Amino acid sequence: MTNIDPITKLTNNSSMFQSGGHILYMYNETNQYVRNAVSFIHEGIKREEVVFVIETDEMITNIKKYLSAKNLHDRQLNSIIYINDHEFYFKGELFNYNGAGGKLTNLVQPYINSGYHIRTWGRVPVPSKDPIERLVSHECNCDQFVSEKRVISVCCYNGLTTPAYVQNELLKSHTHLITDDEYTKSPFYRKNYHKTITMEDADRLHRLEERNNYLQTKTNHLILENHLIKLKSELIKESESKLRTIINELPIPIIIRNKNKILFSNKLTEVQFNFNNQVNETSFKPFFKSYDSAFVDSSTTNTQKHKFIHSNGEEKYYIVKSIDISFENTAAILHAFVDITKEKQNENLLIRSEKMNIAGELAASIAHELRNPLTSIKGFFQMLKNSGEEKSMYYSIIGDELSRIEQISSELLSLAKPHSENRKTYNLIQIIDEVKLLLISEANMKNVELILECNDNDVFVNCDDTKIKQVFINLLKNAIDAMESGGIINIRVTNLRETVKVQVIDQGSGIPEELIKKIGEPFYTTKEKGTGIGLMVCYQIIENYGGTIEVDSNVGVGTTFTITLPISAEVLAG
């Protein structure tokens, strides 16, 4: 036996057809709602009534789909009049109950005048502001219209969102009530309800609305709190798995440990610390001991610097940030390692720079102490020379040596005092050629050949040419001195577009690996009578020009000094 929908049972009787009916439909389930709507519309088409459907666009589409399965003619389907609910009930964003009543009258009256029976189906939205006052006025007007015109009108409300006190008031202006599955006469219907609302009723409705708004606010707060509690509960349940996933993707090494046992480590820890066996875990124990003694209470984030020596012998410096956590139901400590090795190297460079400043101050004081007596000696020497005694050869030697001493003291003084530079754009190849000319005789005396190789004859840098010459004179003299058995010194210049690389490659005795790090430090030298000032000045000059000096050496093979300088900005811009 086919189940008959409650709306069909209610409307399929002669009394409803003759006198009309104002039906309140409180629905809960969307599927059953659509079934009742389709049954109501289909029944009206079979009775050749004019059917008005006031719905959302989405619901209109669903209703049309189900009606198309009823084997109706196109004429019958096209006879249904569909109206968008928002356009019908609202004026802007306000619920326009007076306007809605007027629209209904204007739409229906021509068909009534033509002798048609009318039935309407409409979903009624509940206004957010003053819902009782607006809905009661609207439904009372509708009830009067339905009674006078003998229209069958179904007013649909969402039973889940419409407050109970609003439903009670709506029952007073509707002849019948249906739900998704049942129907009945309204126990509260009052035919003249719209004419008998007193001030007392209005005050009562207003108090109900205020109470409902208060309860709705409290309900919203409770819903929010309940949502937060559920969210926290879910987060707690998933915290450990999420923690593992997040930690694994972080770009810093992280470990979680309990006492000396590592409970978890991310991928980067395994890469940087080669952490895959008990031996490497043991290498963390000095850090654990240091941390535990320094931080007894680690309830807050603690920070500590620590040096680690990796399995390959490389020294690494880290800032370690740590905090107590719970992991796998066990009290644990999370350590995050931020690599500051480069910063530590920069710090060492600053210390080295300070050493150079001290060396400059010492050089200044020494130069000032030497310069005054040298001036006096030179003056008296000139007087002896003018006396006419025949010792010109000795005087010449003494004069040359005194001039050399004066030159040395002047060079020492230049290390400390600020230079008024005259930087211009010079061709580096030309500067090196000029240096070669200065040193060619000394190189020939020691059976050393200077060879210049370049991939570009025009390599321009912005510099003070005298200082750059000083750098290459120093490097080439050191290379010549290191080649006691003679050989070849290659000066290799490579234009790298934005920078130029100059390599001074000798075939000398080389420098032991443990001493290379000290090259360029004040007063450090590998020469028996050297001072270590020359290379230190070279480092200072090149660094001031935004360049670098690197040293590579093999004992018994030779040494390579590599200088990198930026190409002149004028050349790059041109």
Side-chain angles (χ1 to χ4, degrees), residues 428 492-496 499-503 562-565:
L428 190 61
R492 191 171 296 158
V493 183
T494 307
N495 188 343
L496 302 175
T499 60
V500 57
K501 180 172 71 174
V502 183
Q503 293 176 296
T562 302
I563 295 175
T564 303
L565 285 169

Side-chain angles (χ1 to χ4, degrees), residues 254-495:
I254 290 179
I255 63 170
I256 299 174
R257 55 109 177 180
N258 175 263
K259 297 181 180 179
N260 288 331
K261 182 180 180 181
I262 295 178
L263 305 176
F264 176 76
S265 63
N266 67 349
K267 295 176 182 176
L268 204 59
T269 305
E270 298 171 5
V271 172
Q272 289 198 17
F273 291 90
N274 296 321
F275 176 65
N276 53 17
N277 55 55
Q278 188 65 31
V279 175
N280 282 328
E281 184 178 69
T282 304
S283 67
F284 278 90
K285 288 183 179 179
F287 163 70
F288 295 158
K289 184 177 180 181
S290 172
Y291 176 85
D292 292 340
S293 61
F295 302 106
V296 177
D297 178 16
S298 56
S299 57
T300 58
T301 303
N302 296 309
T303 304
Q304 186 182 33
K305 291 184 179 179
H306 197 82
K307 180 177 78 172
F308 287 86
I309 301 176
H310 294 303
S311 58
N312 60 2
E314 183 182 11
E315 290 184 356
K316 286 275 191 177
Y317 294 86
Y318 294 91
I319 288 179
V320 187
K321 295 188 176 182
S322 311
I323 191 169
D324 278 353
I325 64 168
S326 176
F327 186 80
E328 295 179 347
N329 298 321
T330 303
I333 302 174
L334 183 148
H335 297 295
F337 299 83
V338 180
D339 191 346
I340 58 166
T341 304
K342 289 185 178 180
E343 287 81 355
K344 193 69 176 176
Q345 290 170 349
N346 290 336
E347 183 182 324
N348 291 334
L349 286 175
L350 289 175
I351 294 171
R352 174 176 165 185
S353 177
E354 184 63 21
K355 285 182 180 179
M356 293 179 74
N357 289 335
I358 294 171
E361 292 172 5
L362 289 174
S365 61
I366 292 170
H368 281 299
E369 289 296 324
L370 288 176
R371 208 167 196 183
N372 291 333
L374 283 173
T375 302
S376 298
I377 292 170
K378 196 170 186 180
F380 281 110
F381 164 74
Q382 192 63 39
M383 291 173 62
L384 286 172
K385 185 176 181 182
N386 294 337
S387 66
E389 297 182 20
E390 293 299 322
K391 296 182 179 178
S392 58
M393 182 181 68
Y394 297 104
Y395 294 145
S396 177
I397 294 171
I398 294 170
D400 290 344
E401 292 301 315
L402 286 173
S403 296
R404 181 174 175 79
I405 293 171
E406 186 176 34
Q407 183 183 2
I408 291 170
S409 65
S410 296
E411 290 177 358
L412 281 169
L413 184 61
S414 71
L415 175 66
K417 81 173 184 179
H419 297 280
S420 55
E421 290 195 346
N422 183 23
R423 293 194 183 188
K424 294 181 180 179
T425 298
Y426 292 96
N427 188 341
L428 190 61
I429 304 300
Q430 184 178 341
I431 290 175
I432 295 173
D433 272 327
E434 291 170 0
V435 171
K436 273 183 64 183
L437 287 173
L438 291 173
L439 296 176
I440 195 70
S441 59
E442 184 175 348
N444 288 337
M445 289 175 60
K446 294 195 175 182
N447 198 27
V448 173
E449 183 180 3
L450 302 178
I451 297 177
L452 174 61
E453 303 173 1
C454 54
N455 67 343
D456 190 347
N457 290 322
D458 295 312
V459 182
F460 294 93
V461 295
N462 186 260
C463 65
D464 184 334
D465 63 334
T466 58
K467 288 191 175 182
I468 292 297
K469 284 179 182 179
Q470 182 181 352
V471 170
F472 288 109
I473 288 170
N474 200 304
L475 292 180
L476 289 170
K477 281 178 64 67
N478 287 346
I480 292 169
D481 292 342
M483 296 170 60
E484 296 178 356
S485 303
I488 297 173
I489 297 175
N490 287 300
I491 309 164
R492 191 171 296 158
V493 183
T494 307
N495 188 343

Side-chain angles (χ1 to χ4, degrees), residues 187-206:
F188 303 138
Y189 177 67
R190 289 155 47 185
K191 185 173 180 62
N192 295 320
Y193 177 59
H194 59 287
K195 296 180 180 178
T196 59
I197 295 180
T198 63
M199 290 295 296
E200 183 180 351
D201 286 334
D203 289 341
R204 178 179 60 80
L205 294 176
H206 184 66

Side-chain angles (χ1 to χ4, degrees), residues 90 93-95 125-132 134-135 165 209 212-213 216:
F90 286 87
E93 296 300 322
L94 295 176
F95 186 85
V126 177
S128 58
K129 184 179 180 181
D130 302 328
I132 278 289
R134 295 174 184 274
L135 287 176
Y165 79 98
E209 286 185 1
N212 178 69
N213 290 337
Q216 188 63 46

Side-chain angles (χ1 to χ4, degrees), residues 235-247 327:
L235 287 173
I236 290 171
K237 290 178 181 179
E238 298 177 4
S239 62
E240 287 187 5
S241 61
K242 286 187 175 181
L243 184 63
R244 289 175 182 267
T245 303
I246 292 170
I247 289 176
F327 186 80

